[in-house]
Amino acid sequence: MSALPLDPTAPLAPDAGSISIGIVGAGQFSRSFATLWDLHPNVDRLTITDLVPERAKALADRYERATVVDSFEEMLDSDVDAVAIFTQRWTHAPLVLAALDAGKHVYSAVPMATELTDIEAIIAAVERTGLTYMMGETSYYNPATVFIRQKVREGALGQVFYAEGDYVHDMDLGFYAAYQYSGGENWKATASYPPMLYPTHAIGGVLGALPTRAVSVSCIGVEDQRGDGVFDREVSQFGNSFSNATALFELSDGGAMRTNEMRRVGYPSHIRESRFRFFGTEASFEQLAHQSVWNDKETSTDLSADFVPVRGGADEADLADVDPALREAFTSGSAPVHDRTRLPATYADAPNGHEGAHHFLADDFVRGVVSGEHPPVDAWRSALFTAPGIVAHASALAGGERLPIPDFGSGPARD
């Protein structure tokens, strides 16, 4: 494959090149992307593996051009061009590093890593190998983030001095079932995963729109009071008892960002699990569950309709193992603010998800590998979205102590 100059507003041409993708983890989330890559005109085949062989076979049987291998190691020894990692949240970094060392391009579900040293190692491996790395952060393509990114380019907000990104997803709304599905009989040990180590849906929606980074943080963790063994420090694989956490970040441009990660909250996360607010000297933007409002010094305009994804149909087989409370996240279509002109025509009626993000995520990874150009959420931007949460969790463990956040750089020039 040779790097070809691409028109970022147009679909990839069939002769731009094709790739093979190996999918690691055949659970609930990976099916959406397996379907989209199977439909992509620049993907010629899929290879699938899972620790539960029956799941890998069941997923592969859905596609004519898919095969199964017995292990991750066999996947790396194969001739696939790229691997897409959909394993448990805390396992990503070692698998990413092994794949890069094996010469494979990598797509990783969020988060990038749970340790700062692993972030540093992934960036070093990308620099050393020249391979494509992309983290699948849905909030970069969230309708609100897409909208504000353009407004910031236009200068419409003036100086943005304060922003908020919230990920409000109650455990009762699908997460119990998801952890039971993936964690087996010891699922409570992993369901206690620290909220601030899964920060990218909240942070990515803000720092995906603003040209700045987080430089320090003070975070408060809220001790869980449910008493059901989840978020029990003695049971937790992570020694974690925080079910909610709130962090205040200092930004490099002098502004501030607040982030909430909530797992016990009376809120309809199936309607809008990530929501954002931006305040500038000339205008502001605010979201609730149903409303999105633009304000300036004279008027307030309800733009809610522009941010509501147009939902399409869904294949019931794709959702068979997905808790009903999570299904809306897997079936949302694109919103009016999304520009779909550069997506493959084969995606027109394809399943989408997370407020229209899935089509763009799947296509941007293929475009990055085929062209050699860095995808929007490359290793450096992934660090920008991930590292602040890692430091925020450390701050919460230290009683809210203000801690510095390392700068991993901005990487190559990009849009």
Side-chain angles (χ1 to χ4, degrees), residues 115-132:
E115 300 286 346
L116 296 176
T117 51
D118 284 334
I119 291 177
E120 185 176 22
I122 291 171
I123 290 175
V126 170
E127 291 177 327
R128 181 179 70 253
T129 63
L131 294 165
T132 297

Side-chain angles (χ1 to χ4, degrees), residues 55-88:
R55 291 181 183 173
K57 182 179 184 305
L59 183 59
D61 285 348
R62 296 177 59 81
Y63 313 109
E64 291 185 5
R65 300 174 298 159
T67 57
V68 172
V69 294
D70 291 335
S71 67
F72 176 63
E73 292 73 22
E74 186 177 346
M75 179 84 75
L76 297 190
D77 287 338
S78 75
D79 63 352
V80 298
D81 298 305
V83 296
I85 295 170
F86 293 100
T87 58
Q88 302 255 41

Side-chain angles (χ1 to χ4, degrees), residues 91 168 191 203 281 319 328 369 373 383:
T91 65
V168 281
I203 294 173
T281 54
L319 302 173
E328 286 197 48
V369 175
E373 299 174 0

Side-chain angles (χ1 to χ4, degrees), residues 125-312:
V126 170
E127 291 177 327
R128 181 179 70 253
T129 63
L131 294 165
T132 297
Y133 169 90
M134 178 176 170
M135 183 178 73
E137 179 39 57
T138 58
S139 284
Y140 184 82
Y141 306 90
N142 184 284
T145 303
V146 171
F147 175 77
I148 293 296
R149 192 155 56 232
Q150 182 58 38
K151 289 296 185 182
V152 168
R153 289 169 178 162
E154 296 169 1
L157 286 96
Q159 176 193 358
V160 181
F161 57 87
Y162 177 77
E164 294 178 8
D166 297 336
Y167 184 59
V168 281
H169 195 141
D170 189 87
M171 287 289 295
D172 292 331
L173 298 181
F175 271 173
Y176 275 98
Y179 278 111
Q180 288 166 0
Y181 179 85
S182 60
E185 51 184 48
N186 294 322
W187 66 272
K188 288 186 179 181
T190 58
S192 59
Y193 187 78
M196 277 294 167
L197 295 188
Y198 192 69
T200 60
H201 294 332
I203 294 173
V206 174
L207 298 186
L210 303 180
T212 186
R213 72 176 189 88
V215 297
S216 70
V217 62
S218 176
C219 180
I220 300 299
V222 178
E223 298 283 341
D224 191 59
Q225 298 181 12
R226 176 69 68 88
D228 64 355
V230 177
F231 299 111
D232 182 330
R233 194 182 303 275
E234 300 305 315
V235 175
S236 171
Q237 174 178 318
F238 315 98
N240 176 57
S241 57
F242 300 143
S243 52
N244 295 325
T246 296
L248 181 63
F249 297 92
E250 174 194 11
L251 301 180
S252 60
D253 61 1
M257 173 179 69
R258 192 198 72 186
T259 291
N260 284 308
E261 287 289 341
M262 300 179 181
R263 304 298 178 266
R264 303 286 196 202
V265 55
Y267 180 87
S269 56
H270 58 285
I271 295 174
R272 174 173 283 148
E273 63 185 5
S274 297
R275 65 182 203 175
F276 306 99
R277 303 172 80 200
F278 297 85
F279 288 86
T281 54
E282 300 302 320
S284 60
F285 175 83
E286 301 181 77
Q287 281 192 312
L288 295 173
H290 291 284
Q291 287 186 299
S292 298
V293 180
W294 176 265
N295 308 293
D296 60 27
K297 296 181 181 181
E298 297 180 356
T299 62
S300 181
T301 306
D302 189 331
L303 301 177
S304 302
D306 291 337
F307 300 91
V308 178
V310 179
R311 296 186 181 277

